Amino acid sequence: MADNQINTKDFIIGTLVGSFVGAATALLLAPKSGKELRGDINEGAIQVRNRATELAGTAQEKGSELKDKAYSATSDLTKKAVDVTSDLSKTVATKSQELTENVKKKTADLKDTVEDKLSDVQDTAGDKLDDAREKASDLKDEISDKIEDVKKETADKKAEAEETVSKKTAEVKKETKQAANEVKKEVNKKS
């Protein structure tokens, strides 16, 4: 990119110098009087100055256009990054809420199951009461284990979702930064 900028600059300078040298050579080699020659040289210098002014104005317009494009692109990329981050945050919040509701439902179902089993155990005869208590205790431990498993699964999924959001946010920031750097390079190249 820097080579292109140098080549453009060299070209403009070369064009101006070449125009001036060509005009001066043509004037000096033409068979004219001193007064006419000075008038032609003065006219050539004015033309070169006018051409240089035109080129400077064009360069200034192009620089301004590139600057506006860079600001616009940076603004668009920033907005996109904010939108993506917002969407990912909403997704994580929704997933967390769904997982919490799922845990509550499973816990309620397990509680109902335990209550049903305990009710059945209480209805049995006296000699089976000890066996029923033992089974209820085992079931309670199993339910506690299942509840712990569900809680762990929920925590793992939540952590996974947060990690995904974090990675996506970092990627978007990196892409935004790269795009902004490219735009800055383009602006620097054109100016």
Side-chain angles (χ1 to χ4, degrees):
M1 287 185 199
D3 291 337
N4 190 19
Q5 184 180 19
I6 292 171
N7 290 338
T8 304
K9 182 180 174 184
D10 291 343
F11 177 76
I12 291 173
I13 292 171
T15 301
L16 290 174
V17 170
S19 298
F20 183 71
V21 170
T25 302
L27 291 175
L28 291 174
L29 296 177
K32 294 185 179 180
S33 70
K35 186 175 185 180
E36 287 177 8
L37 182 61
R38 284 190 302 272
D40 288 347
I41 289 173
N42 193 21
E43 185 179 315
I46 290 171
Q47 288 176 353
V48 168
R49 184 187 71 202
N50 290 341
R51 181 68 178 148
T53 303
E54 288 175 22
L55 289 174
T58 302
Q60 189 174 14
E61 287 175 22
K62 292 289 185 183
S64 179
E65 288 174 15
L66 288 172
K67 177 183 166 189
D68 292 343
K69 284 182 183 179
Y71 285 131
S72 177
T74 301
S75 176
D76 291 345
L77 288 172
T78 302
K79 183 180 180 204
K80 183 178 178 183
V82 168
D83 290 345
V84 168
T85 302
S86 176
D87 290 345
L88 289 174
S89 295
K90 287 177 184 176
T91 302
V92 167
T94 302
K95 292 290 183 184
S96 295
Q97 185 177 3
E98 288 174 5
L99 289 172
T100 302
E101 289 173 7
N102 191 16
V103 167
K104 286 179 182 178
K105 183 180 178 190
K106 286 185 178 184
T107 302
D109 290 346
L110 289 172
K111 183 179 177 183
D112 291 343
T113 302
V114 168
E115 288 174 357
D116 289 344
K117 295 289 182 182
L118 288 175
S119 177
D120 291 344
V121 168
Q122 290 174 350
D123 292 340
T124 60
D127 60 323
K128 295 194 178 190
L129 187 57
D130 292 333
D131 291 337
R133 286 182 181 159
E134 211 173 288
K135 287 180 183 180
S137 177
D138 291 342
L139 184 59
K140 184 178 177 183
D141 292 341
E142 184 179 319
I143 290 170
S144 293
D145 292 342
K146 286 184 180 181
I147 289 173
E148 287 302 316
D149 290 344
V150 169
K151 285 181 180 179
K152 183 178 177 188
E153 181 181 327
T154 301
D156 290 345
K157 287 186 178 184
K158 184 177 179 181
E160 183 179 297
E162 289 174 348
E163 182 178 339
T164 301
V165 167
S166 182
K167 286 180 182 178
K168 289 288 184 182
T169 301
E171 288 174 11
V172 168
K173 285 181 180 178
K174 183 178 178 183
E175 289 174 7
T176 302
K177 189 173 184 178
Q178 287 175 348
N181 286 338
E182 289 177 12
V183 169
K184 285 181 183 177
K185 287 180 183 178
E186 188 69 24
V187 169
N188 288 339
K189 177 180 117 180
K190 298 296 180 177
S191 55

